Amino acid sequence: MLTRSIRSMVTFTNAFRLGNSDIVFPAGAYEILFEEELLQGVSFEAYRRTATYLMVRGRGSHVGQTTMHMTTQKDLEHAIACD
């Protein structure tokens, strides 16, 4: 199965949460990674989103570390709208 990754950036001006998570992310710029797979058996090229990740860069003693927090498109859009 063919997959692709799409990266974009979002900037939050306020601290935020994703969904029901207890983690509060600080304001700042974040990279978003979308993973999609090619749909088979259709007469045109189409992709289905399979995952959405918020990339969190380490700060302080964790500089150089990046963690990926899986989320949903709905939770991400809600956090953006609330900001």
Side-chain angles (χ1 to χ4, degrees), residues 24-70:
V24 177
F25 298 100
Y30 290 86
E31 183 177 12
I32 308 298
L33 174 67
F34 302 103
E35 291 185 350
E36 299 178 335
E37 66 183 11
L38 182 65
L39 295 176
Q40 302 291 322
V42 293
S43 60
F44 54 92
E45 189 173 284
Y47 287 85
R48 177 177 69 96
R49 182 156 297 156
T50 57
T52 302
Y53 298 99
L54 177 76
M55 310 296 283
V56 180
R57 306 238 183 260
R59 297 178 180 169
S61 63
H62 299 286
V63 168
Q65 296 178 356
T66 300
T67 56
M68 297 172 63
H69 293 269
M70 187 174 222

mmCIF file of all heavy atoms in Angstrom, residues 24-70:
data_model
loop_
_atom_site.group_PDB
_atom_site.id
_atom_site.type_symbol
_atom_site.label_atom_id
_atom_site.label_comp_id
_atom_site.label_asym_id
_atom_site.label_seq_id
_atom_site.Cartn_x
_atom_site.Cartn_y
_atom_site.Cartn_z
ATOM 1 N N VAL A 24 -0.925 19.778 28.968
ATOM 2 C CA VAL A 24 -1.105 21.154 28.518
ATOM 3 C C VAL A 24 0.156 21.530 27.747
ATOM 4 O O VAL A 24 1.254 21.522 28.298
ATOM 5 C CB VAL A 24 -1.332 22.114 29.703
ATOM 6 C CG1 VAL A 24 -1.441 23.546 29.203
ATOM 7 C CG2 VAL A 24 -2.576 21.722 30.481
ATOM 8 N N PHE A 25 -0.016 21.839 26.482
ATOM 9 C CA PHE A 25 1.103 22.231 25.629
ATOM 10 C C PHE A 25 1.256 23.740 25.688
ATOM 11 O O PHE A 25 0.258 24.464 25.617
ATOM 12 C CB PHE A 25 0.859 21.772 24.187
ATOM 13 C CG PHE A 25 0.743 20.295 24.033
ATOM 14 C CD1 PHE A 25 -0.503 19.701 23.930
ATOM 15 C CD2 PHE A 25 1.866 19.489 24.001
ATOM 16 C CE1 PHE A 25 -0.626 18.326 23.789
ATOM 17 C CE2 PHE A 25 1.762 18.115 23.864
ATOM 18 C CZ PHE A 25 0.508 17.532 23.763
ATOM 19 N N PRO A 26 2.485 24.239 25.783
ATOM 20 C CA PRO A 26 2.675 25.690 25.831
ATOM 21 C C PRO A 26 2.431 26.340 24.471
ATOM 22 O O PRO A 26 2.489 25.675 23.437
ATOM 23 C CB PRO A 26 4.145 25.837 26.258
ATOM 24 C CG PRO A 26 4.797 24.562 25.842
ATOM 25 C CD PRO A 26 3.741 23.500 25.920
ATOM 26 N N ALA A 27 2.156 27.632 24.500
ATOM 27 C CA ALA A 27 1.996 28.384 23.257
ATOM 28 C C ALA A 27 3.267 28.271 22.435
ATOM 29 O O ALA A 27 4.359 28.091 22.968
ATOM 30 C CB ALA A 27 1.700 29.843 23.585
ATOM 31 N N GLY A 28 3.122 28.352 21.128
ATOM 32 C CA GLY A 28 4.285 28.292 20.250
ATOM 33 C C GLY A 28 3.941 27.677 18.916
ATOM 34 O O GLY A 28 2.781 27.360 18.626
ATOM 35 N N ALA A 29 4.961 27.492 18.086
ATOM 36 C CA ALA A 29 4.800 26.904 16.759
ATOM 37 C C ALA A 29 5.003 25.396 16.845
ATOM 38 O O ALA A 29 5.948 24.933 17.487
ATOM 39 C CB ALA A 29 5.802 27.516 15.788
ATOM 40 N N TYR A 30 4.128 24.658 16.210
ATOM 41 C CA TYR A 30 4.170 23.197 16.220
ATOM 42 C C TYR A 30 4.058 22.662 14.800
ATOM 43 O O TYR A 30 3.292 23.187 13.988
ATOM 44 C CB TYR A 30 3.018 22.624 17.054
ATOM 45 C CG TYR A 30 3.174 22.862 18.526
ATOM 46 C CD1 TYR A 30 2.728 24.043 19.104
ATOM 47 C CD2 TYR A 30 3.777 21.921 19.346
ATOM 48 C CE1 TYR A 30 2.869 24.279 20.451
ATOM 49 C CE2 TYR A 30 3.920 22.141 20.703
ATOM 50 C CZ TYR A 30 3.465 23.331 21.247
ATOM 51 O OH TYR A 30 3.618 23.552 22.595
ATOM 52 N N GLU A 31 4.794 21.608 14.546
ATOM 53 C CA GLU A 31 4.685 20.916 13.271
ATOM 54 C C GLU A 31 3.595 19.853 13.390
ATOM 55 O O GLU A 31 3.500 19.163 14.408
ATOM 56 C CB GLU A 31 6.013 20.248 12.909
ATOM 57 C CG GLU A 31 5.998 19.576 11.572
ATOM 58 C CD GLU A 31 7.347 18.973 11.207
ATOM 59 O OE1 GLU A 31 8.228 18.879 12.071
ATOM 60 O OE2 GLU A 31 7.492 18.590 10.040
ATOM 61 N N ILE A 32 2.768 19.748 12.364
ATOM 62 C CA ILE A 32 1.719 18.730 12.306
ATOM 63 C C ILE A 32 2.090 17.770 11.188
ATOM 64 O O ILE A 32 2.472 18.184 10.099
ATOM 65 C CB ILE A 32 0.338 19.359 12.008
ATOM 66 C CG1 ILE A 32 0.025 20.503 12.975
ATOM 67 C CG2 ILE A 32 -0.746 18.295 12.016
ATOM 68 C CD1 ILE A 32 -0.054 20.101 14.416
ATOM 69 N N LEU A 33 1.990 16.476 11.456
ATOM 70 C CA LEU A 33 2.293 15.449 10.470
ATOM 71 C C LEU A 33 1.018 14.653 10.205
ATOM 72 O O LEU A 33 0.411 14.109 11.136
ATOM 73 C CB LEU A 33 3.399 14.523 10.985
ATOM 74 C CG LEU A 33 3.735 13.313 10.111
ATOM 75 C CD1 LEU A 33 4.365 13.776 8.807
ATOM 76 C CD2 LEU A 33 4.663 12.377 10.858
ATOM 77 N N PHE A 34 0.619 14.628 8.940
ATOM 78 C CA PHE A 34 -0.537 13.844 8.509
ATOM 79 C C PHE A 34 -0.027 12.664 7.698
ATOM 80 O O PHE A 34 0.792 12.840 6.799
ATOM 81 C CB PHE A 34 -1.472 14.668 7.619
ATOM 82 C CG PHE A 34 -1.995 15.918 8.257
ATOM 83 C CD1 PHE A 34 -1.470 17.154 7.915
ATOM 84 C CD2 PHE A 34 -3.008 15.865 9.190
ATOM 85 C CE1 PHE A 34 -1.944 18.320 8.490
ATOM 86 C CE2 PHE A 34 -3.495 17.020 9.774
ATOM 87 C CZ PHE A 34 -2.965 18.255 9.426
ATOM 88 N N GLU A 35 -0.490 11.472 8.009
ATOM 89 C CA GLU A 35 -0.162 10.289 7.211
ATOM 90 C C GLU A 35 -1.421 9.859 6.475
ATOM 91 O O GLU A 35 -2.501 9.800 7.055
ATOM 92 C CB GLU A 35 0.363 9.163 8.098
ATOM 93 C CG GLU A 35 1.724 9.476 8.682
ATOM 94 C CD GLU A 35 2.317 8.318 9.466
ATOM 95 O OE1 GLU A 35 1.607 7.323 9.721
ATOM 96 O OE2 GLU A 35 3.494 8.419 9.821
ATOM 97 N N GLU A 36 -1.258 9.561 5.179
ATOM 98 C CA GLU A 36 -2.375 9.161 4.336
ATOM 99 C C GLU A 36 -1.985 7.956 3.504
ATOM 100 O O GLU A 36 -0.810 7.777 3.176
ATOM 101 C CB GLU A 36 -2.779 10.318 3.415
ATOM 102 C CG GLU A 36 -3.223 11.557 4.154
ATOM 103 C CD GLU A 36 -3.562 12.704 3.236
ATOM 104 O OE1 GLU A 36 -3.036 12.757 2.109
ATOM 105 O OE2 GLU A 36 -4.350 13.570 3.664
ATOM 106 N N GLU A 37 -2.985 7.133 3.171
ATOM 107 C CA GLU A 37 -2.732 5.988 2.310
ATOM 108 C C GLU A 37 -3.560 6.113 1.041
ATOM 109 O O GLU A 37 -4.663 6.651 1.044
ATOM 110 C CB GLU A 37 -3.040 4.677 3.031
ATOM 111 C CG GLU A 37 -4.492 4.465 3.382
ATOM 112 C CD GLU A 37 -4.741 3.186 4.161
ATOM 113 O OE1 GLU A 37 -3.783 2.544 4.613
ATOM 114 O OE2 GLU A 37 -5.921 2.844 4.320
ATOM 115 N N LEU A 38 -2.977 5.613 -0.049
ATOM 116 C CA LEU A 38 -3.635 5.648 -1.343
ATOM 117 C C LEU A 38 -4.797 4.664 -1.351
ATOM 118 O O LEU A 38 -4.642 3.507 -0.948
ATOM 119 C CB LEU A 38 -2.636 5.283 -2.446
ATOM 120 C CG LEU A 38 -3.143 5.313 -3.879
ATOM 121 C CD1 LEU A 38 -3.527 6.729 -4.279
ATOM 122 C CD2 LEU A 38 -2.081 4.764 -4.817
ATOM 123 N N LEU A 39 -5.953 5.129 -1.798
ATOM 124 C CA LEU A 39 -7.109 4.243 -1.914
ATOM 125 C C LEU A 39 -6.963 3.390 -3.161
ATOM 126 O O LEU A 39 -6.632 3.898 -4.239
ATOM 127 C CB LEU A 39 -8.399 5.055 -1.980
ATOM 128 C CG LEU A 39 -8.756 5.857 -0.731
ATOM 129 C CD1 LEU A 39 -10.008 6.680 -0.982
ATOM 130 C CD2 LEU A 39 -8.950 4.938 0.459
ATOM 131 N N GLN A 40 -7.202 2.113 -3.021
ATOM 132 C CA GLN A 40 -7.103 1.177 -4.134
ATOM 133 C C GLN A 40 -8.482 0.965 -4.762
ATOM 134 O O GLN A 40 -9.504 1.047 -4.092
ATOM 135 C CB GLN A 40 -6.569 -0.172 -3.636
ATOM 136 C CG GLN A 40 -5.213 -0.086 -2.968
ATOM 137 C CD GLN A 40 -4.100 0.245 -3.937
ATOM 138 O OE1 GLN A 40 -4.091 -0.228 -5.059
ATOM 139 N NE2 GLN A 40 -3.168 1.073 -3.502
ATOM 140 N N GLY A 41 -8.510 0.715 -6.058
ATOM 141 C CA GLY A 41 -9.751 0.338 -6.727
ATOM 142 C C GLY A 41 -10.636 1.491 -7.141
ATOM 143 O O GLY A 41 -11.805 1.282 -7.462
ATOM 144 N N VAL A 42 -10.113 2.723 -7.125
ATOM 145 C CA VAL A 42 -10.905 3.839 -7.634
ATOM 146 C C VAL A 42 -10.257 4.329 -8.923
ATOM 147 O O VAL A 42 -9.076 4.104 -9.169
ATOM 148 C CB VAL A 42 -11.015 4.992 -6.600
ATOM 149 C CG1 VAL A 42 -11.816 4.560 -5.390
ATOM 150 C CG2 VAL A 42 -9.660 5.500 -6.177
ATOM 151 N N SER A 43 -11.032 4.997 -9.764
ATOM 152 C CA SER A 43 -10.544 5.395 -11.087
ATOM 153 C C SER A 43 -9.745 6.701 -11.070
ATOM 154 O O SER A 43 -9.325 7.173 -12.109
ATOM 155 C CB SER A 43 -11.720 5.532 -12.054
ATOM 156 O OG SER A 43 -12.614 6.512 -11.576
ATOM 157 N N PHE A 44 -9.538 7.273 -9.890
ATOM 158 C CA PHE A 44 -8.760 8.499 -9.755
ATOM 159 C C PHE A 44 -7.902 8.381 -8.502
ATOM 160 O O PHE A 44 -8.157 7.544 -7.642
ATOM 161 C CB PHE A 44 -9.687 9.727 -9.673
ATOM 162 C CG PHE A 44 -10.725 9.598 -8.591
ATOM 163 C CD1 PHE A 44 -10.476 10.083 -7.308
ATOM 164 C CD2 PHE A 44 -11.940 8.985 -8.847
ATOM 165 C CE1 PHE A 44 -11.429 9.950 -6.304
ATOM 166 C CE2 PHE A 44 -12.898 8.843 -7.849
ATOM 167 C CZ PHE A 44 -12.640 9.331 -6.575
ATOM 168 N N GLU A 45 -6.873 9.207 -8.416
ATOM 169 C CA GLU A 45 -5.986 9.142 -7.261
ATOM 170 C C GLU A 45 -6.659 9.805 -6.058
ATOM 171 O O GLU A 45 -7.055 10.971 -6.121
ATOM 172 C CB GLU A 45 -4.667 9.845 -7.570
ATOM 173 C CG GLU A 45 -3.627 9.642 -6.500
ATOM 174 C CD GLU A 45 -2.281 10.196 -6.919
ATOM 175 O OE1 GLU A 45 -1.601 9.548 -7.743
ATOM 176 O OE2 GLU A 45 -1.933 11.278 -6.419
ATOM 177 N N ALA A 46 -6.803 9.039 -4.981
ATOM 178 C CA ALA A 46 -7.425 9.564 -3.767
ATOM 179 C C ALA A 46 -6.719 8.959 -2.556
ATOM 180 O O ALA A 46 -6.273 7.800 -2.592
ATOM 181 C CB ALA A 46 -8.902 9.219 -3.738
ATOM 182 N N TYR A 47 -6.631 9.739 -1.506
ATOM 183 C CA TYR A 47 -5.962 9.298 -0.280
ATOM 184 C C TYR A 47 -6.915 9.373 0.894
ATOM 185 O O TYR A 47 -7.838 10.185 0.911
ATOM 186 C CB TYR A 47 -4.737 10.179 0.012
ATOM 187 C CG TYR A 47 -3.586 9.903 -0.915
ATOM 188 C CD1 TYR A 47 -3.510 10.516 -2.161
ATOM 189 C CD2 TYR A 47 -2.567 9.042 -0.547
ATOM 190 C CE1 TYR A 47 -2.451 10.270 -3.025
ATOM 191 C CE2 TYR A 47 -1.503 8.791 -1.390
ATOM 192 C CZ TYR A 47 -1.453 9.408 -2.627
ATOM 193 O OH TYR A 47 -0.398 9.154 -3.471
ATOM 194 N N ARG A 48 -6.660 8.522 1.882
ATOM 195 C CA ARG A 48 -7.432 8.498 3.124
ATOM 196 C C ARG A 48 -6.468 8.780 4.259
ATOM 197 O O ARG A 48 -5.414 8.163 4.362
ATOM 198 C CB ARG A 48 -8.088 7.132 3.316
ATOM 199 C CG ARG A 48 -8.847 6.993 4.627
ATOM 200 C CD ARG A 48 -9.525 5.637 4.718
ATOM 201 N NE ARG A 48 -8.560 4.567 4.850
ATOM 202 C CZ ARG A 48 -8.194 4.021 6.010
ATOM 203 N NH1 ARG A 48 -8.702 4.442 7.129
ATOM 204 N NH2 ARG A 48 -7.313 3.041 6.029
ATOM 205 N N ARG A 49 -6.825 9.736 5.125
ATOM 206 C CA ARG A 49 -5.969 10.067 6.266
ATOM 207 C C ARG A 49 -6.010 8.916 7.271
ATOM 208 O O ARG A 49 -7.076 8.431 7.646
ATOM 209 C CB ARG A 49 -6.443 11.357 6.929
ATOM 210 C CG ARG A 49 -5.553 11.758 8.083
ATOM 211 C CD ARG A 49 -5.620 13.216 8.377
ATOM 212 N NE ARG A 49 -5.140 13.962 7.233
ATOM 213 C CZ ARG A 49 -5.477 15.207 6.971
ATOM 214 N NH1 ARG A 49 -6.289 15.849 7.760
ATOM 215 N NH2 ARG A 49 -5.010 15.828 5.910
ATOM 216 N N THR A 50 -4.840 8.467 7.682
ATOM 217 C CA THR A 50 -4.752 7.355 8.629
ATOM 218 C C THR A 50 -4.244 7.796 9.997
ATOM 219 O O THR A 50 -4.480 7.107 10.982
ATOM 220 C CB THR A 50 -3.833 6.245 8.093
ATOM 221 O OG1 THR A 50 -2.542 6.787 7.821
ATOM 222 C CG2 THR A 50 -4.424 5.623 6.836
ATOM 223 N N ALA A 51 -3.559 8.943 10.073
ATOM 224 C CA ALA A 51 -3.043 9.400 11.361
ATOM 225 C C ALA A 51 -2.734 10.892 11.311
ATOM 226 O O ALA A 51 -2.389 11.437 10.263
ATOM 227 C CB ALA A 51 -1.787 8.627 11.742
ATOM 228 N N THR A 52 -2.849 11.525 12.469
ATOM 229 C CA THR A 52 -2.492 12.929 12.637
ATOM 230 C C THR A 52 -1.639 13.020 13.895
ATOM 231 O O THR A 52 -2.022 12.516 14.941
ATOM 232 C CB THR A 52 -3.751 13.813 12.794
ATOM 233 O OG1 THR A 52 -4.585 13.637 11.652
ATOM 234 C CG2 THR A 52 -3.399 15.276 12.954
ATOM 235 N N TYR A 53 -0.466 13.651 13.771
ATOM 236 C CA TYR A 53 0.463 13.768 14.897
ATOM 237 C C TYR A 53 0.830 15.225 15.142
ATOM 238 O O TYR A 53 1.052 15.980 14.195
ATOM 239 C CB TYR A 53 1.767 13.011 14.624
ATOM 240 C CG TYR A 53 1.590 11.531 14.432
ATOM 241 C CD1 TYR A 53 1.540 10.992 13.151
ATOM 242 C CD2 TYR A 53 1.496 10.671 15.515
ATOM 243 C CE1 TYR A 53 1.402 9.625 12.959
ATOM 244 C CE2 TYR A 53 1.350 9.305 15.330
ATOM 245 C CZ TYR A 53 1.303 8.791 14.054
ATOM 246 O OH TYR A 53 1.155 7.447 13.866
ATOM 247 N N LEU A 54 0.949 15.586 16.410
ATOM 248 C CA LEU A 54 1.502 16.868 16.821
ATOM 249 C C LEU A 54 2.945 16.603 17.226
ATOM 250 O O LEU A 54 3.206 15.782 18.109
ATOM 251 C CB LEU A 54 0.716 17.437 18.014
ATOM 252 C CG LEU A 54 1.239 18.739 18.593
ATOM 253 C CD1 LEU A 54 0.866 19.899 17.678
ATOM 254 C CD2 LEU A 54 0.686 18.965 19.991
ATOM 255 N N MET A 55 3.878 17.266 16.568
ATOM 256 C CA MET A 55 5.299 17.094 16.861
ATOM 257 C C MET A 55 5.692 18.108 17.930
ATOM 258 O O MET A 55 5.499 19.313 17.747
ATOM 259 C CB MET A 55 6.133 17.317 15.601
ATOM 260 C CG MET A 55 5.658 16.535 14.388
ATOM 261 S SD MET A 55 5.790 14.774 14.592
ATOM 262 C CE MET A 55 7.530 14.589 14.349
ATOM 263 N N VAL A 56 6.219 17.609 19.047
ATOM 264 C CA VAL A 56 6.587 18.481 20.162
ATOM 265 C C VAL A 56 8.093 18.419 20.347
ATOM 266 O O VAL A 56 8.653 17.367 20.656
ATOM 267 C CB VAL A 56 5.862 18.058 21.461
ATOM 268 C CG1 VAL A 56 6.262 18.968 22.606
ATOM 269 C CG2 VAL A 56 4.353 18.077 21.251
ATOM 270 N N ARG A 57 8.740 19.542 20.144
ATOM 271 C CA ARG A 57 10.195 19.643 20.301
ATOM 272 C C ARG A 57 10.527 19.829 21.774
ATOM 273 O O ARG A 57 9.852 20.581 22.486
ATOM 274 C CB ARG A 57 10.731 20.818 19.501
ATOM 275 C CG ARG A 57 10.317 20.765 18.043
ATOM 276 C CD ARG A 57 11.504 20.764 17.130
ATOM 277 N NE ARG A 57 11.096 20.777 15.733
ATOM 278 C CZ ARG A 57 11.067 19.694 14.969
ATOM 279 N NH1 ARG A 57 11.405 18.534 15.465
ATOM 280 N NH2 ARG A 57 10.705 19.769 13.710
ATOM 281 N N GLY A 58 11.576 19.147 22.208
ATOM 282 C CA GLY A 58 11.999 19.223 23.598
ATOM 283 C C GLY A 58 12.521 20.596 23.971
ATOM 284 O O GLY A 58 13.076 21.315 23.141
ATOM 285 N N ARG A 59 12.334 20.936 25.218
ATOM 286 C CA ARG A 59 12.814 22.211 25.750
ATOM 287 C C ARG A 59 13.612 21.943 27.018
ATOM 288 O O ARG A 59 13.482 20.893 27.631
ATOM 289 C CB ARG A 59 11.634 23.128 26.070
ATOM 290 C CG ARG A 59 10.847 23.484 24.833
ATOM 291 C CD ARG A 59 9.652 24.334 25.135
ATOM 292 N NE ARG A 59 8.961 24.633 23.869
ATOM 293 C CZ ARG A 59 7.785 25.165 23.788
ATOM 294 N NH1 ARG A 59 7.140 25.498 24.869
ATOM 295 N NH2 ARG A 59 7.240 25.399 22.614
ATOM 296 N N GLY A 60 14.409 22.918 27.417
ATOM 297 C CA GLY A 60 15.204 22.777 28.631
ATOM 298 C C GLY A 60 16.190 21.637 28.514
ATOM 299 O O GLY A 60 16.962 21.559 27.565
ATOM 300 N N SER A 61 16.139 20.694 29.463
ATOM 301 C CA SER A 61 17.064 19.555 29.446
ATOM 302 C C SER A 61 16.717 18.536 28.377
ATOM 303 O O SER A 61 17.454 17.578 28.162
ATOM 304 C CB SER A 61 17.084 18.880 30.815
ATOM 305 O OG SER A 61 15.808 18.349 31.115
ATOM 306 N N HIS A 62 15.598 18.720 27.678
ATOM 307 C CA HIS A 62 15.166 17.781 26.630
ATOM 308 C C HIS A 62 15.369 18.338 25.220
ATOM 309 O O HIS A 62 14.791 17.818 24.257
ATOM 310 C CB HIS A 62 13.700 17.401 26.832
ATOM 311 C CG HIS A 62 13.439 16.724 28.132
ATOM 312 N ND1 HIS A 62 13.811 15.429 28.382
ATOM 313 C CD2 HIS A 62 12.871 17.184 29.274
ATOM 314 C CE1 HIS A 62 13.464 15.107 29.619
ATOM 315 N NE2 HIS A 62 12.902 16.154 30.178
ATOM 316 N N VAL A 63 16.174 19.403 25.105
ATOM 317 C CA VAL A 63 16.448 19.977 23.780
ATOM 318 C C VAL A 63 17.045 18.891 22.888
ATOM 319 O O VAL A 63 17.875 18.102 23.308
ATOM 320 C CB VAL A 63 17.416 21.181 23.893
ATOM 321 C CG1 VAL A 63 17.940 21.595 22.537
ATOM 322 C CG2 VAL A 63 16.720 22.349 24.557
ATOM 323 N N GLY A 64 16.586 18.852 21.652
ATOM 324 C CA GLY A 64 17.063 17.839 20.714
ATOM 325 C C GLY A 64 16.155 16.626 20.630
ATOM 326 O O GLY A 64 16.288 15.810 19.725
ATOM 327 N N GLN A 65 15.225 16.504 21.567
ATOM 328 C CA GLN A 65 14.274 15.392 21.537
ATOM 329 C C GLN A 65 12.957 15.876 20.946
ATOM 330 O O GLN A 65 12.528 16.994 21.200
ATOM 331 C CB GLN A 65 14.013 14.859 22.946
ATOM 332 C CG GLN A 65 15.212 14.251 23.610
ATOM 333 C CD GLN A 65 14.890 13.796 25.025
ATOM 334 O OE1 GLN A 65 13.790 14.006 25.533
ATOM 335 N NE2 GLN A 65 15.847 13.171 25.666
ATOM 336 N N THR A 66 12.339 15.032 20.144
ATOM 337 C CA THR A 66 11.031 15.336 19.580
ATOM 338 C C THR A 66 10.101 14.178 19.876
ATOM 339 O O THR A 66 10.473 13.023 19.690
ATOM 340 C CB THR A 66 11.119 15.547 18.050
ATOM 341 O OG1 THR A 66 12.007 16.630 17.792
ATOM 342 C CG2 THR A 66 9.758 15.873 17.457
ATOM 343 N N THR A 67 8.904 14.490 20.352
ATOM 344 C CA THR A 67 7.908 13.448 20.592
ATOM 345 C C THR A 67 6.728 13.681 19.657
ATOM 346 O O THR A 67 6.413 14.823 19.307
ATOM 347 C CB THR A 67 7.424 13.431 22.055
ATOM 348 O OG1 THR A 67 6.915 14.716 22.394
ATOM 349 C CG2 THR A 67 8.542 13.071 23.008
ATOM 350 N N MET A 68 6.099 12.589 19.272
ATOM 351 C CA MET A 68 4.933 12.642 18.407
ATOM 352 C C MET A 68 3.705 12.292 19.245
ATOM 353 O O MET A 68 3.650 11.222 19.831
ATOM 354 C CB MET A 68 5.067 11.638 17.261
ATOM 355 C CG MET A 68 6.222 11.920 16.338
ATOM 356 S SD MET A 68 6.510 10.607 15.128
ATOM 357 C CE MET A 68 4.999 10.638 14.191
ATOM 358 N N HIS A 69 2.751 13.210 19.298
ATOM 359 C CA HIS A 69 1.513 12.968 20.036
ATOM 360 C C HIS A 69 0.403 12.731 19.031
ATOM 361 O O HIS A 69 0.029 13.646 18.281
ATOM 362 C CB HIS A 69 1.178 14.160 20.938
ATOM 363 C CG HIS A 69 2.145 14.343 22.058
ATOM 364 N ND1 HIS A 69 1.966 13.757 23.289
ATOM 365 C CD2 HIS A 69 3.321 15.001 22.113
ATOM 366 C CE1 HIS A 69 2.987 14.072 24.072
ATOM 367 N NE2 HIS A 69 3.820 14.827 23.378
ATOM 368 N N MET A 70 -0.118 11.513 19.012
ATOM 369 C CA MET A 70 -1.196 11.182 18.087
ATOM 370 C C MET A 70 -2.462 11.908 18.538
ATOM 371 O O MET A 70 -2.757 11.992 19.724
ATOM 372 C CB MET A 70 -1.436 9.679 18.049
ATOM 373 C CG MET A 70 -2.407 9.243 16.995
ATOM 374 S SD MET A 70 -2.477 7.450 16.908
ATOM 375 C CE MET A 70 -2.504 7.256 15.154
#
